[in-house]
Amino acid sequence: MNNRSQVWKFFSSVQLAIFTLSAISLTSIIGTIVPQDRSFAFYVEEYGEVTARFFQVLDIPDMYTSWWFLTLLGLLSANLIVCSIDRFPLAWKQVTLDQTSLSKDRLEKMAYTHVIRNASSTLATTLENALKKGGWKIAKKETKDGVITAAQKYGWSRTGVYIVHASILVIFAGAIVGHFFGFKGSVLIPETKDTDKVYASKTQAPLALGFTVRCDKFDIEFYDNGMPKEYTSRLTVLENGKEVLVKDIEVNHPLQYRGMTFYQSSYEGYRDFLITLTSTTDKSTKTFIAPFQQQIKWEGKDITMGIVNAEALRDRVVRMKVWIKSSQNQPITIMVDPQKPYSLEENGLPYTVSVKQMYATGLQVAKDPGVVLVYIGCFLMMVGLYIAFFMSHRRIWILTSTGESTDLLIAGTTNKNKLGFEKTFTELLQSITNTNG
Amino acid sequence: MDSSQLLGITTFTYLFSTLLYVAIFVFKAERLEKAATAFTVIALLIQTAGIALRWVESYQMGIGHAPLTNMYESVVFFAWTIIALYLIIEWKFKTRMIGAFAVPFAFLAMAYASFSTDISKSISPLVPALQSNWLIAHVVTCFIGYAAFAVAAGLGAMYLLKDKSGNNSLLERLPPLKVIDDITHKTMVFGFIWLSAGIITGAVWANSAWGTYWSWDPKETWSLITWFIYALTLHARYTRGWDGTRIAWLALIGFISVIFTYYGVNFLLSGLHSYGSN
Ligand code: HEM
């Protein structure tokens, strides 16, 4: 045996598969016990200096992307590839094999056999038609033992295992594509502000988006018991200053734009307020950021305003007292509920006002062109598992030998699901004993 | 009658079912056979009603969601699936001997759900991340898988018991070793498919909520470890010809991993899935 074939044998062996799967399982446990992605200081405090250094050498703090863990995954992939190349041709041969070139001896040794002596001359045809009707592929040949009719079904189900194995490689490929061509980042955008970059999750390095995203509004809804019910952000995408897309996003309902996805992930409340004034005469509207208890002016409109007081429930402002003044009028102070418009016309001002606490929306931003591959892989895996476990390559032969009488030898075999095949086989036989007798 | 009463009753009916099946097995109480099955079917129906009612109640509270969103609800669903699966096996393989090894899991799960102080039974609203149909698909698929693995572990225990003490007249009544081995294997295959679907739906959900389909959080990692253990078992059987004792042990080891994925991670480790711990 030469070296090449030994290496080949090693990489195609199921022993290696069992070793690799065990090794991945066992080492994976480490990362579920030792917290991942913390600072060196954290590990020193938690485990002591020596252990922390040891961890660092073995990449334990980031073990799922460490060289040795990736090597194990690489080994699994190599194993899958070599094993498939090694075995697939044989499996495929089984699918495409000429089923009519079997000797009588072979047929007699099949798992399921049945002999009918003195059969009527049409019986073989009856059987053949029954099989044809049931979707079996039929081939026929004259041999020295008689006429062989070979019927088979679901031959391609032998590829099920290979689909499962390939699906794992497709998922890995997706993960690799995501790693090299995608990114994960996050950004906090205060209401009314915009950003054209986000910050990489691991390094905090700024990443340019190539367009601008503005947060027009952020909202939280609460259940009666105070638990958050929904976070919503209205996002506007701007290309070269032009609005191209407006979308309300929620957790589980992200915004997708140019291959990037923006997920609602967190928020931050400020001690600032947003005051929106709408003129009832010219319909112009403007939103102002008003820090608590500071005066704001609407330039050119002769309006000054501010928030003089606010009531909060935990960190959430539930009512605010707004103060508005123009040079012609007495100052107005009214209590307002968040986001509810109040007309000021009774007080002699042609405006409606609405006020809310100011928030910043926390967005998770991801670009992952590999997800498509991962999903295709997942789909293939489920299809492959179904085929591998529940479908079987079934074969039935009818050997008709005509001497003094017509004798039929019916033989069958399946590579899996013996019970199911047995049922089909006996049903087939029953159908002819009925017609024959 | 409210759902917690119905589910409370279920705990006791499953205890009674367990006793009936144990009696059939230990005392050869053949007259009880039909009664055990009938009683268990009724117990399952009571539990089904309990789960359905809990669903309705959540809508009456104005926070309607499928009863599959916290530790308590998932344990209840786990018990439900074990019984449903067991009844199918009883019907398909025409033996009631497995009952004494499978039904107790459902009782223990219900007893844990009802009496443990670790878990809250209240119907609570869902935080935004949990409001997803993928969550329902994820929980359902995972727990069908887990229930199958529980039954497989029961079968594995049964195999080992019979194998160790061959000539015992009590154990003679168990199905032949080959049959137990075959049912164990089929149950594990069934569980493997559902666990695969569970991991996949979990990944899709994570991707739709956070933009990462896989983040090596402890729960994810443990479900992968469990998946690998069963993958290993299947390969050892198909390609190395393992069967019998070794597969029975692997069915037990696999289920220990399931328990850890399901229970241990919530209470011993921390991570995204910690919602289960309240
Ligand atoms: C987590 C990874 C893996 C999964 C989920 C997986 C899944 C499967 C499944 C479902 C079967 C079908 C069994 C059947 O019904 O015939 C199978 C068979 C098989 N697998 Fe894997 N597999 C994995 C890794 C591997 C690796 C790394 C190898 C490398 C040698 C391997 C070699 C085989 C072989 C030789 C068979 C038997 C094929 C046959 O029946 O002809 N598997 N695998």
Side-chain angles (χ1 to χ4, degrees), chain A residues 11-18 20-21 75-77 79-80 83 87 91 160-162 164-165 168 381 384-385 388-389 416, chain B residues 192 227-228 231 234-235 238-239:
Chain A
F11 276 107
S12 67
S13 70
V14 181
Q15 281 103 316
L16 179 64
I18 292 182
T20 320
L21 291 180
L75 206 55
L76 180 67
S77 312
N79 194 194
L80 279 168
C83 175
R87 290 166 157 263
V161 176
Y162 298 91
V164 176
H165 290 158
I168 294 168
M381 178 176 290
L385 285 175
F389 289 134
K416 260 177 291 175
Chain B
F192 186 72
W227 191 70
F228 275 173
L234 295 179
H235 284 83
Y238 277 122
T239 62

Side-chain angles (χ1 to χ4, degrees), chain B:
Chain B
M1 187 72 74
D2 64 15
S3 66
S4 57
Q5 279 169 306
L6 280 176
L7 293 173
I9 292 171
T10 309
T11 311
F12 293 99
T13 50
Y14 285 163
L15 173 62
F16 196 64
S17 278
T18 303
L19 296 177
L20 284 173
Y21 279 108
V22 169
I24 294 171
F25 168 49
V26 176
F27 305 114
K28 301 193 184 185
E30 273 155 25
R31 278 169 305 142
L32 290 179
E33 293 208 350
K34 288 227 161 67
T37 305
F39 189 80
T40 309
V41 169
I42 291 168
L44 183 69
L45 292 176
I46 294 174
Q47 192 186 11
T48 310
I51 294 173
L53 194 56
R54 191 175 165 94
W55 202 336
V56 171
E57 282 165 6
S58 82
Y59 274 91
Q60 284 165 353
M61 292 168 69
I63 50 175
H65 57 75
L68 293 163
T69 53
N70 59 22
M71 187 80 173
Y72 173 76
E73 290 171 341
S74 61
V75 177
V76 169
F77 180 66
F78 177 55
W80 185 91
T81 318
I82 289 175
I83 295 295
L85 207 61
Y86 165 70
L87 286 170
I88 292 171
I89 291 176
E90 181 184 300
W91 172 66
K92 249 191 123 153
F93 294 92
K94 315 262 175 292
T95 169
R96 290 192 171 82
M97 289 302 134
I98 299 166
F101 295 84
V103 178
F105 283 111
F107 162 65
L108 289 175
M110 284 309 293
Y112 171 70
S114 306
F115 302 122
S116 167
T117 50
D118 292 345
I119 56 181
S120 150
K121 289 187 264 303
S122 64
I123 302 178
S124 50
L126 295 183
V127 299
L130 300 186
Q131 298 164 19
S132 165
N133 288 333
W134 285 109
L135 166 68
I136 306 300
H138 176 53
V139 175
V140 169
T141 46
C142 279
F143 279 86
I144 293 177
Y146 292 169
F149 293 143
V151 175
L155 287 158
M158 184 164 154
Y159 186 98
L160 292 174
L161 198 67
K162 174 149 180 157
D163 193 39
K164 284 272 142 46
S165 40
N167 304 333
N168 184 318
S169 71
L170 177 65
L171 300 172
E172 241 165 48
R173 308 183 58 242
L174 293 177
L177 285 177
K178 264 193 113 67
V179 174
I180 305 178
D181 183 52
D182 182 53
I183 307 177
T184 313
H185 170 68
K186 286 192 170 126
T187 314
M188 278 201 273
V189 163
F190 180 80
F192 186 72
I193 289 204
W194 286 99
L195 179 61
S196 307
I199 293 175
I200 290 172
T201 47
V204 174
W205 172 36
N207 194 49
S208 73
W210 297 286
T212 352
Y213 51 84
W214 194 263
S215 53
W216 293 104
D217 118 289
K219 193 111 181 170
E220 284 170 0
T221 308
W222 270 100
S223 68
L224 189 69
I225 292 169
T226 304
W227 191 70
F228 275 173
I229 292 175
Y230 287 102
L232 245 162
T233 307
L234 295 179
H235 284 83
R237 185 184 187 95
Y238 277 122
T239 62
R240 317 283 321 149
W242 284 26
D243 58 4
T245 320
R246 286 191 279 199
I247 296 291
W249 276 111
L250 281 167
L252 289 171
I253 294 170
F255 188 58
I256 291 170
S257 182
V258 168
I259 295 283
F260 196 81
T261 307
Y262 177 15
Y263 177 84
V265 173
N266 284 353
F267 290 100
L268 304 177
L269 308 170
S270 61
L272 281 179
H273 288 74
S274 50
Y275 75 86
S277 61
N278 54 44

Side-chain angles (χ1 to χ4, degrees), chain A residues 286-415:
Chain A
K286 199 168 156 87
T287 300
F288 302 87
I289 300 171
F292 190 48
Q293 293 180 342
Q294 275 186 38
Q295 281 191 23
I296 307 290
K297 269 181 94 84
W298 188 347
E299 298 297 341
K301 287 270 190 190
D302 179 30
I303 292 274
T304 314
M305 66 203 123
I307 300 296
V308 289
N309 211 346
E311 286 170 23
L313 195 71
R314 270 167 258 162
D315 56 352
R316 174 164 58 107
V317 173
V318 290
R319 261 151 72 87
M320 294 141 293
K321 192 180 257 177
V322 57
W323 171 94
I324 301 178
K325 179 178 167 298
S326 87
S327 55
Q328 275 99 55
N329 295 64
Q330 289 292 315
I332 310 160
T333 42
I334 49 172
M335 279 307 269
V336 296
D337 290 338
Q339 304 203 53
K340 215 159 131 190
Y342 290 83
S343 169
L344 301 175
E345 281 183 295
E346 283 174 24
N347 307 83
L349 277 179
Y351 291 99
T352 41
V353 64
S354 113
V355 188
K356 75 186 282 286
Q357 182 184 6
M358 181 166 167
Y359 286 98
T361 183
L363 303 176
Q364 201 84 262
V365 186
K367 176 176 168 179
D368 193 344
V371 166
V372 184
L373 276 174
V374 172
Y375 283 6
I376 291 173
C378 291
F379 177 74
L380 284 178
M381 178 176 290
M382 292 317 297
V383 172
L385 285 175
Y386 181 83
I387 296 172
F389 289 134
F390 298 124
M391 300 188 71
S392 50
H393 185 189
R394 302 169 165 202
R395 285 172 287 179
I396 290 180
W397 291 268
I398 307 159
L399 175 63
T400 321
S401 31
T402 23
E404 279 148 41
S405 68
T406 305
D407 292 345
L408 292 193
L409 167 63
I410 304 166
T413 182
T414 178
N415 66 335

